[in-house]
Amino acid sequence: MSNKTTIALSLPAPHPAQTKIIQESKRFNVVCCGRRWGKTVLGMERLIHPALKGKPVAWFSPTNKLMADTWRELRATLAPVTRDKSEQEKRIELISGGVIELWSLDSPDAGRGRKYAVVVVDEAAMIPALAEAWQQSIRPTLTDLQGSAWFLSTPKGMNYF
């Protein structure tokens, strides 16, 4: 007799353009699209699935304010499979063993010392120190697990994004 319980999550299905990007993805991905295209939904999808498989993943935003909606959405969507969460640390631990951490890039040292299977950098064009954050902090978090990265943004001038 099995004690396994099935928990159904309501996750949005990627639209055709998102599906194409997912199918053609590489280890490092840059997605530059207009407003309302669904970059945030794509980014959350890229994190939720590996976290459900027990992997550590992270979301990086330019500021706490820009991260707030994503935090609320992830918290609500993953509530049925959440073992523990920290509002202070913006960290969700799942019953699968996976962990989702959200970081503000107010400091380019965010995430330093962690290891991740996938990272999403949201609104990447709005991060003034993106090059420094990527090279010195975020990129090294992907080494141990040979993780992947997703840079999502609308264009905003000529910058590192």
Side-chain angles (χ1 to χ4, degrees):
M1 181 169 234
S2 174
N3 286 347
K4 290 193 175 189
T5 302
T6 301
I7 300 172
L9 292 180
S10 178
L11 303 175
H15 62 60
Q18 291 169 331
T19 300
K20 182 173 173 40
I21 286 173
I22 291 167
Q23 290 169 345
E24 296 176 2
S25 66
K26 305 291 183 208
R27 184 172 182 207
F28 302 127
N29 304 277
V30 176
V31 180
C32 185
C33 298
R35 295 175 64 189
R36 309 302 308 151
W37 181 85
K39 295 178 297 296
T40 301
V41 171
L42 173 68
M44 288 191 295
E45 189 273 347
R46 298 284 71 204
L47 294 184
I48 289 171
H49 292 287
L52 289 171
K53 293 177 182 166
K55 306 283 187 193
V57 298
W59 182 277
F60 294 88
S61 284
T63 64
N64 281 314
K65 186 170 179 66
L66 286 170
M67 180 174 51
D69 287 342
T70 303
W71 169 248
R72 283 190 292 275
E73 182 83 20
L74 285 169
R75 200 179 55 205
T77 299
L78 297 171
V81 293
T82 297
R83 177 176 51 208
D84 195 17
K85 70 178 183 301
S86 169
E87 292 286 333
Q88 182 73 27
E89 295 178 3
K90 299 292 186 268
R91 175 183 168 95
I92 301 170
E93 296 177 22
L94 304 181
I95 59 176
S96 65
V99 174
I100 299 177
E101 294 180 319
L102 284 75
W103 297 93
S104 166
L105 284 168
D106 291 332
S107 162
D109 286 336
R112 189 176 286 270
R114 298 293 211 279
K115 60 182 176 183
Y116 296 119
V118 180
V119 299
V120 170
V121 181
D122 189 37
E123 295 298 353
M126 295 178 65
I127 301 167
L130 179 59
E132 180 184 351
W134 169 246
Q135 293 165 359
Q136 296 178 18
S137 183
I138 300 170
R139 173 65 182 89
T141 68
L142 301 172
T143 303
D144 292 358
L145 302 175
Q146 298 177 343
S148 62
W150 289 80
F151 294 87
L152 311 176
S153 195
T154 51
K156 190 173 175 72
M158 294 300 292
N159 52 35
Y160 191 73
F161 173 72

